[in-house]
Amino acid sequence: KIAKKSTKEIANEIIQKRLESKTRRFVTHKYFPKQLVNKFANVAGFFFYPLLHGFGTSHFLMTNVQYDSDHVLLVNYLNTLSVLMCCAQNCSIAPKMGHELLSIVWRLWFHREAKIRISILSMIACIVINVPASILLLEFIDELIEFRLRLSEMLSPRGETNSESRILAQHVMYLLDCILKEGSAMDNN
């Protein structure tokens, strides 16, 4: 036995169907990115600065490296600093950490070992990715332009000989170009 619908229910169904057919939907669903608190933010400095400065001297950044094991140690040290920079994304001390890492970048830019130059390029990429673009454009603009010029020299035919360094330099240059274009777009507005 099927219960008969009342006229009111039938009218509501007709109205509902008409509303559905005449309604225009511009967005079918909304995406809200899930935001998490960076739990590393409170302790980032306690890991980064003792590692960076050591016990009063930065013994990892020796200029007279004698053995291959010293190169390996320096590469791992630079990569560890880069990882800590990545972990400090959206931390309030990330720009200060970036400034500290830049002193290492400038000191080791022309290192003779290709793996160390690759680590330096990775460190630049970590700084550009993890420091907000607005802060990069305010506080790091001179360094960004200088990096851009040095990377273009590195990519010239008489520049970097290591193919892996050249490829990474192209990617870092692309990142810098994106940041600099964003800055010029903000200046035009």
Side-chain angles (χ1 to χ4, degrees):
K1 295 181 182 179
I2 299 174
K4 292 192 173 187
K5 295 182 182 178
S6 68
T7 28
K8 185 176 180 181
E9 290 174 345
I10 294 173
N12 281 338
E13 283 181 17
I14 292 172
I15 292 172
Q16 192 66 28
K17 286 179 184 175
R18 282 191 181 173
L19 284 174
E20 287 293 324
S21 67
K22 301 292 182 184
T23 301
R24 291 177 50 192
R25 300 199 192 286
F26 295 102
V27 178
T28 56
H29 60 84
K30 292 184 179 180
Y31 173 72
F32 296 106
K34 188 175 182 181
Q35 297 178 351
L36 300 173
V37 175
N38 187 350
K39 295 178 182 179
F40 185 67
N42 295 333
V43 295
F46 296 113
F47 286 94
F48 181 77
Y49 293 109
L51 182 62
L52 181 67
H53 298 295
F55 297 103
T57 60
S58 188
H59 54 281
F60 288 112
L61 301 177
M62 299 177 288
T63 55
N64 297 331
V65 178
Q66 298 174 352
Y67 305 105
D68 286 338
S69 62
D70 294 336
H71 290 297
V72 172
L73 187 62
L74 181 57
V75 167
N76 288 325
Y77 173 69
L78 295 173
N79 290 339
T80 302
L81 289 173
S82 297
V83 167
L84 288 174
M85 182 70 210
C86 289
C87 291
Q89 185 178 23
N90 299 326
C91 291
S92 60
I93 65 167
K96 187 176 178 186
M97 290 170 68
H99 278 293
E100 296 283 340
L101 291 178
L102 286 180
S103 66
I104 295 174
V105 168
W106 293 126
R107 198 173 325 158
L108 296 174
W109 184 267
F110 294 109
H111 201 279
R112 60 189 163 108
E113 188 68 29
K115 289 184 179 189
I116 293 174
R117 291 192 306 270
I118 290 170
S119 295
I120 290 298
L121 289 172
S122 298
M123 190 177 284
I124 295 169
C126 288
I127 293 169
V128 171
I129 290 171
N130 294 299
V131 175
S134 59
I135 294 175
L136 281 173
L137 293 169
L138 286 175
E139 297 179 18
F140 294 81
I141 190 69
D142 295 334
E143 288 89 353
L144 292 178
I145 293 171
E146 181 67 26
F147 285 141
R148 175 73 170 83
L149 292 173
R150 287 191 180 191
L151 287 171
S152 63
E153 288 174 10
M154 192 181 239
L155 294 173
S156 70
R158 302 171 92 195
E160 179 65 43
T161 56
N162 185 305
S163 61
E164 190 177 349
S165 294
R166 290 180 68 84
I167 292 170
L168 187 56
Q170 287 176 338
H171 292 297
V172 173
M173 193 167 171
Y174 177 75
L175 283 172
L176 291 174
D177 287 344
C178 290
I179 295 293
L180 293 171
K181 284 179 187 176
E182 185 178 319
S184 65
M186 288 188 325
D187 290 341
N188 291 336
N189 290 334

